[in-house]
Amino acid sequence: MTPRDASDANDNRWSDLDRPPLNGTALRRALVREGGLWGDVRVTPRTGSTNSDLVALATDEKADEGVVLVAEEQNAGRGRLDRQWTAPARSGLFFSVLLRPTGVPVERWGWVPLLTGVAVATALSKVAGVDTALKWPNDLLVTVGGEERKTGGILAERAGNDAVVVGIGINVTLREDELPVPGAGSLALAGATTTDRDTVLRAVLRSLEQWYEKWRAAGGDPAASGLQETYAAGCATLGRVVRAELPGGTSITGEAVAVDGDGRLVLATEEGVQQPVGAGDIVHLRPA
């Protein structure tokens, strides 16, 4: 089923005047341009998961690179490890983008979620005045009342042989009594200078386009594109003692000392071993 544009939604779209709906037509006019990355911006009132929808379209070859699918509300949003991502309608930005990194070796595609994190953090700092840090591999952190809180996350999934769908969730106007779990936050709670979702979404997509084109022009080389250095500079995980909870139920504890050329987090353990971690759940055990 093709998602409807939010402009087709019923009058319930105005049920919270502090959370106006996005205007798909205005977003397309602002972001879609000849020679640019973004080819279409589709806004739907609600869906299960924008990632699932876009993966299905890409797998069936019904979507080209540069399609952006935005949902005002998701009822089956997913994070890493199939965690649920839920939030009130129009309280955040929940969207996915379709990328086809032609010319980039597949072994470098692991940098796509890290690249997305850099792009989003850069945009949020600029447009909303919120100092946004990155928790390896895919969390966006802001400070609320002196405490680090997660305000967003990124999920990248392969779609067929030549595409990647990247899902991005950002809590924008979520209030304290609406937080889904302890440790969650939002741009509003972090004192953002703007919580206009239209403004934030445009800034994020423009930043993502810039970083993606730079990385792709460098053949996906994270050093030559400046991505590796920029990610490390904004990564709140580096310099901290962390526990990496790995697939299969094992874990490694050590100081996070680097992000290597493959995008893996390198831990220095008490045994004097530098252990790269390519996948896992990272727990910050103490501040840097």
Side-chain angles (χ1 to χ4, degrees):
M1 184 178 75
T2 302
R4 292 181 299 144
D5 193 285
S7 59
D8 297 327
N10 60 32
D11 289 341
N12 289 334
R13 65 201 281 262
W14 292 105
S15 59
D16 189 339
L17 296 180
D18 291 330
R19 292 170 173 166
L22 294 167
N23 185 318
T25 301
L27 286 167
R28 286 189 289 275
R29 188 181 301 120
L31 294 163
V32 177
R33 58 184 175 82
E34 186 70 29
L37 174 61
W38 307 122
D40 192 12
V41 182
R42 307 173 187 177
V43 180
T44 182
R46 65 189 60 83
T47 191
S49 161
T50 57
N51 253 39
S52 296
D53 292 347
L54 203 46
V55 166
L57 289 172
T59 302
D60 292 341
E61 298 185 352
K62 294 180 179 179
D64 297 324
E65 180 173 53
V67 170
V68 182
L69 180 60
V70 189
E72 296 284 36
E73 182 180 11
Q74 289 190 123
N75 55 32
R78 294 174 291 117
R80 289 181 62 254
L81 307 179
D82 282 331
R83 294 187 177 116
Q84 295 298 302
W85 179 289
T86 59
R90 304 188 302 278
S91 66
L93 288 168
F94 322 112
F95 63 102
S96 299
V97 302
L98 175 60
L99 304 175
R100 297 186 188 274
T102 54
V104 176
V106 172
E107 57 268 23
R108 288 177 170 169
W109 287 19
W111 275 97
V112 169
L114 305 186
L115 179 155
T116 304
V118 167
V120 175
T122 301
L124 295 182
S125 297
K126 286 182 178 178
V127 77
V130 174
D131 187 15
T132 309
L134 301 165
K135 178 186 175 187
W136 189 93
N138 72 330
D139 289 348
L140 301 159
L141 305 178
V142 297
T143 302
V144 178
E147 176 188 5
E148 249 180 12
R149 295 201 195 177
K150 177 180 175 178
T151 196
I154 296 158
L155 176 66
E157 300 181 85
R158 288 288 294 273
N161 295 322
D162 66 343
V164 180
V165 170
V166 186
I168 302 166
I170 304 169
N171 293 333
V172 179
T173 60
L174 217 60
R175 299 181 281 266
E176 195 75 46
D177 62 348
E178 296 175 319
L179 297 177
V181 295
S186 69
L187 299 185
L189 292 173
T193 56
T194 181
T195 55
D196 183 327
R197 292 184 308 136
D198 182 282
T199 300
V200 174
L201 180 58
R202 293 186 194 199
V204 167
L205 288 173
R206 285 169 177 152
S207 180
L208 179 53
E209 179 177 12
Q210 291 169 359
W211 272 105
Y212 177 68
E213 296 295 3
K214 190 175 182 181
W215 172 75
R216 189 161 62 173
D221 188 320
S225 63
L227 177 58
Q228 186 174 4
E229 180 181 4
T230 305
Y231 185 89
C235 183
T237 303
L238 293 180
R240 303 173 92 141
V241 175
V242 305
R243 182 175 66 252
E245 298 175 349
L246 308 177
T250 60
S251 66
I252 301 172
T253 299
E255 181 183 353
V257 294
V259 174
D260 70 12
D262 294 320
R264 300 177 300 179
L265 185 67
V266 180
L267 302 185
T269 68
E270 290 185 349
E271 292 77 23
V273 175
Q274 292 208 345
Q275 179 69 47
V277 174
D281 205 22
I282 300 298
V283 180
H284 289 174
L285 298 180
R286 67 169 183 257

